[in-house]
Amino acid sequence: MNTELLEALEILEREKDISKETLLEAIENSLLTACKNHFGKADNVKVNIDPQTCQFSVYAEKTVVEQVEDEVMEISLSNAKMMDSKYELGDIVNVEIKSKEFGRIATQNAKNVILQKIREEERKVLYNQYYGKERDVVTGVVQRYFGRNVSINLGKVDAILNENEMVKGEVFKPTERIKVYILEVKDTTKGPRILVSRTHPELVKRLFESEVTEVRDGTVEIKCIAREAGSRTKIAVWSNDPDVDPVGACVGMNGARVNAIVSELRGEKIDIINWSENPAILIENALSPAKVVAVLADPEDKTAKVVVPDYQLSLAIGKEGQNARLAARLTGFKIDIKSETQAKEIEGWLDVDDEYEEYEDFEDYQARAAYEDEEDAFDYQEDYDSEPVYEEEFPEE
């Protein structure tokens, strides 16, 4: 048994995750290459390798002839008879080739074939490993800055964190452990080239999946995310189980779950709101923490008019318009926010007081306003006269 070769193959298989069959194939090709370099051709050369013992044999198939014209392909009848008396003209004789007879150059070439195959397989294994993690979050160790980019070690390979994928003002120290989102994995001659991000909205989603069990198992869904990296993120969540509060599940006891994510994002604020299929209610929730008086949403034009109390206008808009901007991204609506005073001053905009007084609660008002245009949003009974419940709650004027 060739124990040294067997041990070497097992070590390579364990450390580099390259199968023993692939390595044996590389050895076979290297022996064929060595024969070709030594004899000039190897069309008739065969290699047999026992995968259990790693014992191998190399032989050339030669045709028995009377007069030898090609020593590589033919053998004389007399020499064949010396090997076995049964051989006759035209028979095929397997002549063993001693690998020790190969010259230095042939041996070196065979070695290079094996090394090249190992490098190719190692690159392929790494590429497949990290390609499977594309669009996922991994933990890496900061290596160094090169220019304005950062090299992140992910274990067996280094990733690149470009400047435009870094949070503004975020500074890393060597050996610091950070979580990054894998944007893309490219296969190159030097191995996989991995691009990662700290600003992608999916980073927040993946962090919630790792921290919140209900999100991971699908009980709570993250419907949409709007993020301004390093400053604020808004996420809308929905529960598939009526007994599970989606916002509470994401926040955790005493805020433990969301605080862990905020800590990983270095203090980035996270607003968690309830998702609703009613765009008016969703917009109201998205403008949190501001209180909303009324919302009139047009699903077709993707526009919405929002009225807030005078003292809540600056909070609804947010610093440099951030709160309104994130709410617009989250809902997909173009949101026009006015205070109560402004809404009253603009003729034909939205007379909140007159319209709102017709309904018993604000949710009923929003439900109507979300699916009707401003002109007939409150002519609800005409469209739904077949539903007696609306006749009782919303009598005709």
Side-chain angles (χ1 to χ4, degrees):
M1 179 183 289
N2 196 334
T3 55
E4 292 183 0
L5 179 58
L6 185 62
E7 288 176 3
L9 294 181
E10 289 175 349
I11 291 172
L12 284 171
E13 185 176 32
R14 185 169 57 251
E15 293 183 354
K16 297 186 179 295
D17 200 21
I18 304 174
S19 67
K20 187 167 70 172
E21 290 74 16
T22 300
L23 294 170
L24 290 174
E25 182 184 347
I27 293 172
E28 181 180 337
N29 291 333
S30 70
L31 291 170
L32 291 173
T33 300
C35 290
K36 187 173 182 180
N37 291 329
H38 184 74
F39 299 110
K41 54 184 174 181
D43 298 337
N44 63 327
V45 176
K46 303 294 180 183
V47 178
N48 287 331
I49 303 178
D50 188 336
Q52 302 300 323
T53 63
C54 287
Q55 293 288 355
F56 66 91
S57 60
V58 185
Y59 59 89
E61 295 180 341
K62 297 186 177 183
T63 304
V64 179
V65 295
E66 188 71 38
Q67 185 68 33
V68 176
E69 295 181 358
D70 185 346
E71 292 184 355
V72 176
M73 304 293 294
E74 298 172 342
I75 186 173
S76 65
L77 179 60
S78 58
N79 288 337
K81 290 285 188 181
M82 291 176 62
M83 296 174 63
D84 195 323
S85 57
K86 69 177 182 179
Y87 288 122
E88 301 294 340
L89 292 175
D91 289 345
I92 302 298
V93 179
N94 293 331
V95 180
E96 186 179 3
I97 299 174
K98 300 292 185 181
S99 57
K100 294 181 180 180
E101 298 175 359
F102 296 154
R104 182 181 61 83
I105 296 177
T107 304
Q108 185 62 39
N109 289 339
K111 176 184 175 182
N112 292 338
V113 169
I114 297 174
L115 293 176
Q116 179 65 24
K117 183 64 175 179
I118 292 174
R119 284 192 291 266
E120 288 177 0
E121 287 300 316
E122 189 175 8
R123 286 198 300 267
K124 185 187 294 185
V125 167
L126 285 175
Y127 173 77
N128 291 335
Q129 179 182 347
Y130 286 96
Y131 183 76
K133 295 180 180 180
E134 201 173 56
R135 311 299 179 191
D136 204 353
V137 170
V138 295
T139 301
V141 178
V142 177
Q143 295 287 90
R144 60 186 177 86
Y145 278 84
F146 57 100
R148 295 184 177 181
N149 303 327
V150 182
S151 175
I152 309 291
N153 182 261
L154 302 182
K156 295 182 180 180
V157 68
D158 288 346
I160 301 170
L161 179 60
N162 290 325
E163 181 188 12
N164 58 355
E165 297 295 339
M166 296 169 59
V167 176
K168 187 176 181 180
E170 201 170 45
V171 179
F172 304 108
K173 297 178 182 178
T175 71
E176 184 178 2
R177 298 177 69 84
I178 61 172
K179 291 186 183 293
V180 291
Y181 178 75
I182 297 180
L183 282 176
E184 186 180 19
V185 181
K186 297 180 179 178
D187 191 14
T188 68
T189 55
K190 295 182 179 180
R193 185 172 185 268
I194 303 174
L195 301 178
V196 296
S197 173
R198 287 275 294 175
T199 61
H200 202 284
E202 285 289 315
L203 173 62
V204 180
K205 182 177 181 180
R206 299 302 183 190
L207 290 176
F208 270 98
E209 288 176 354
S210 64
E211 288 290 337
V212 182
T213 307
E214 291 82 356
V215 174
R216 188 163 56 250
D217 64 21
T219 304
V220 174
E221 292 183 43
I222 297 177
K223 290 289 189 177
C224 50
I225 299 179
R227 185 186 185 201
E228 290 191 357
S231 181
R232 184 182 289 273
T233 294
K234 286 181 181 287
I235 70 170
V237 294
W238 169 266
S239 176
N240 293 311
D241 186 342
D243 296 328
V244 176
D245 174 22
V247 175
C250 292
V251 172
M253 185 174 292
N254 297 324
R257 289 174 170 179
V258 72
N259 285 340
I261 297 171
V262 169
S263 176
E264 178 60 42
L265 299 176
R266 305 194 175 191
E268 183 176 316
K269 295 181 177 66
I270 299 178
D271 295 339
I272 306 172
I273 69 166
N274 281 302
W275 165 268
S276 174
E277 293 183 355
N278 186 326
I281 298 175
L282 179 61
I283 290 168
E284 179 197 2
N285 295 342
L287 288 170
S288 174
K291 295 180 180 178
V292 175
V293 173
V295 179
L296 184 63
D298 187 341
E300 293 183 0
D301 295 338
K302 289 292 182 179
T303 59
K305 295 178 180 180
V306 178
V307 179
V308 298
D310 291 358
Y311 69 95
Q312 292 273 297
L313 181 60
S314 60
L315 182 61
I317 294 174
K319 184 179 180 181
E320 299 178 352
Q322 184 186 70
N323 194 56
R325 187 166 58 250
L326 286 173
R329 290 182 190 171
L330 191 73
T331 60
F333 278 70
K334 183 179 180 181
I335 302 174
D336 187 5
I337 304 175
K338 302 291 184 187
S339 66
E340 289 181 288
T341 302
Q342 291 173 334
K344 292 176 182 178
E345 291 175 351
I346 301 175
E347 184 178 355
W349 200 76
L350 180 62
D351 193 350
V352 177
D353 289 340
D354 294 342
E355 294 167 341
Y356 182 72
E357 288 173 356
E358 297 183 16
Y359 306 101
E360 294 180 0
D361 57 62
F362 179 47
E363 185 172 326
D364 290 333
Y365 166 77
Q366 287 180 308
R368 292 182 178 225
Y371 296 104
E372 305 290 337
D373 59 30
E374 183 178 351
E375 182 178 348
D376 61 0
F378 307 102
D379 191 12
Y380 204 77
Q381 179 59 42
E382 182 179 345
D383 293 334
Y384 295 94
D385 54 5
S386 62
E387 298 289 341
V389 64
Y390 295 114
E391 291 181 7
E392 296 176 6
E393 296 182 0
F394 309 106
E396 294 183 2
E397 297 180 357

